[in-house]
Each structure stands twice: as structure tokens, then as C-alpha cells.
């Protein structure tokens, strides 16, 4: 079982919609969490870190629930350019563990 | 500001051939990593180097070797390529290992082994 699990989707949403992704992690010792965005045939790029108190960056909000061992990403007012795969990442010791990604397609 | 640079971008090998994937970063990062990404499998760690002079195995090290040549450079070698090593390879670096330190990725190397 992978340490980080995500619903692969795809999530198809209309422009302007709000969409939420959840991700669960199995290692309760995981300390740090991130959301990455990966466009087709490109490298993953850091979208945002996830802090214990929750954090927001423009239209994006990330939250961490340590009791239930999941993190979430909320995207408000979806844009066409948000179409991508979103990777949930947790750390355990030396390296980062990536989820397989959730595919988002925003349609006109 | 180049960030993480990988070469080559594309490579086709025959089974049994060898090659070295090169990676360099100009961000003065201590830690460097090699991942492979396959459809349906996500990113899997092959090897990492927490600091100059050290290397350690990740989740899928078999069939690969690495060299941390200096702080900037971290190479991945396939001694005898196999079709199962057909994948997209990403090099990454971070300020320090793991905790609170996100990764910066190179553009990737698309490798096909026939």
C-alpha cells in the first residue's frame, strides 16, 4: 500500500466551479505535506505547502487533518488553466512520498 | 536562473546498453534525488543523496547506480538497460532532506529501452 493515496479522478468541472481533492496518508509520523501540480509531459511543480493551521494562496486552500490523516486542496473559481494533475506529497524521514495524482479537467 | 538541468531529454537504448543520465542544480541545494514516473505508478524514488559525499537507496534502486560528483551534480547510471526501465526520469533537489523542504524538479528524461 502506498504511503499516500489519492483518488485518480478524473474530475471534470465547468469553469468557475469549486473543486476539492482529498488525500490520505498512512504514516502518522509524516511531518511535512505539499501539493504539486503536473502538466502533461512536464515536471511536477510545487503548488503550495500544507501547514497544520491550514493555508490559502489566492484561489487555493490547503488543509491538514492529522487526526484523520488526510490533507485536502480546494480550488475556487476554477480556470481552464487549472487543468492538470495534482500530486499530494507527504514526507517521512529522508524523502518525499508522492501520491499517484488526481487529474482535473476544467471545461468551458 | 537554470534551477535543475537534466540531460539528455530523450534517449532510446537497446536492451543491455548502458548510459548515464546527468543532473545539475545551481541553487546550492544539499539534497538531490532521482525519481522515475510510470503510468499508474506515480513518482517512485530510485536513489537520493542527502548531502555531498553520501548516497542512499530509495524505493526502486535495482538496476541503477548513482554518483554525487560534487554539490551541484548527481548522475544516474544504467549499467545494462532493460525494457522495464522504460520510463520518465526526474532529477530533483531540495535545500535539505525531507522535512519542510519541497523539491525542485528538472524537465525529465524520457527513456525507451527496446
Amino acid at each position: 500500500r502506498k504511503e499516500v493515496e489519492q483518488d485518480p479522478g478524473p474530475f471534470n468541472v465547468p469553469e468557475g466551479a469549486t473543486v476539492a481533492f482529498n488525500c490520505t496518508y498512512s504514516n502518522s509520523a509524516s511531518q511535512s505535506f505539499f501539493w504539486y501540480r503536473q502538466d502533461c509531459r512536464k515536471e511536477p511543480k510545487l503548488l503550495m505547502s500544507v501547514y497544520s493551521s491550514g493555508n490559502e494562496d489566492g484561489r487555493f486552500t490547503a488543509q491538514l487533518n492529522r487526526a484523520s490523516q488526510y490533507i485536502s486542496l480546494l480550488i475556487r473559481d476554477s480556470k481552464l488553466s487549472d487543468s492538470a494533475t495534482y500530486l499530494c506529497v507527504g514526507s517521512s524521514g529522508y524523502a518525499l512520498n508522492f501520491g499517484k495524482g488526481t487529474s482535473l479537467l476544467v471545461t468551458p | 536562473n537554470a534551477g535543475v538541468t537534466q540531460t539528455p531529454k530523450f534517449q532510446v537504448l537497446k536492451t543491455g546498453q548502458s548510459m548515464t543520465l546527468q543532473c545539475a542544480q545551481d541553487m546550492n541545494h544539499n539534497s538531490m534525488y532521482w525519481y522515475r514516473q510510470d503510468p499508474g505508478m506515480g513518482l517512485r524514488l530510485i536513489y537520493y543523496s542527502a548531502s555531498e559525499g553520501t548516497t542512499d537507496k530509495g524505493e526502486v534502486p535495482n538496476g541503477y547506480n548513482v554518483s554525487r560528483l560534487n554539490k551541484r551534480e548527481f548522475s544516474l547510471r544504467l549499467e545494462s538497460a532493460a525494457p522495464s526501465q522504460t520510463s520518465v526520469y526526474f532529477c530533483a533537489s531540495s535545500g535539505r532532506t525531507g522535512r519542510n523542504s519541497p523539491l525542485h524538479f528538472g524537465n525529465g528524461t524520457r527513456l525507451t529501452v527496446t
Side-chain angles (χ1 to χ4, degrees), chain A residues 18-96:
Chain A
T18 295
V19 61
F21 307 136
N22 283 334
C23 163
T24 58
Y25 62 95
S26 59
N27 188 345
S28 58
S30 295
Q31 294 287 337
S32 303
F33 302 91
F34 309 92
W35 283 102
Y36 278 73
R37 169 196 171 121
Q38 185 172 26
D39 294 289
C40 188
R41 301 183 67 79
K42 298 286 189 181
E43 75 274 19
K45 292 185 178 177
L46 179 66
L47 179 65
M48 59 197 302
S49 301
V50 185
Y51 302 124
S52 296
S53 55
N55 48 300
E56 189 173 304
D57 182 1
R59 298 182 292 109
F60 299 85
T61 299
Q63 293 198 312
L64 167 63
N65 184 318
R66 286 196 183 274
S68 301
Q69 294 187 202
Y70 78 82
I71 69 173
S72 63
L73 177 68
L74 183 77
I75 305 175
R76 291 180 298 278
D77 188 23
S78 299
K79 311 292 185 191
L80 297 177
S81 57
D82 293 334
S83 297
T85 297
Y86 291 83
L87 306 175
C88 171
V89 186
S91 75
S92 59
Y94 56 83
L96 301 187

Side-chain angles (χ1 to χ4, degrees), chain A residues 2 31-32 34 36 38 40-46 49 87 91 93-100, chain B residues 10 33 35 37 40-43 45 48 57-58 90 97-103 105-107 110:
Chain A
K2 276 191 76 77
Q31 294 287 337
S32 303
F34 309 92
Y36 278 73
Q38 185 172 26
C40 188
R41 301 183 67 79
K42 298 286 189 181
E43 75 274 19
K45 292 185 178 177
L46 179 66
S49 301
L87 306 175
S91 75
Y94 56 83
L96 301 187
N97 299 303
F98 286 78
K100 295 181 183 180
Chain B
F10 302 94
Y33 309 80
Y35 284 86
Q37 187 173 36
M41 300 295 292
L43 281 156
L45 182 65
Y48 73 100
K57 295 177 181 179
F90 288 105
T97 312
R99 181 176 180 171
N100 295 328
S101 194
L103 300 182
F105 286 87
N107 292 340
R110 282 161 180 77

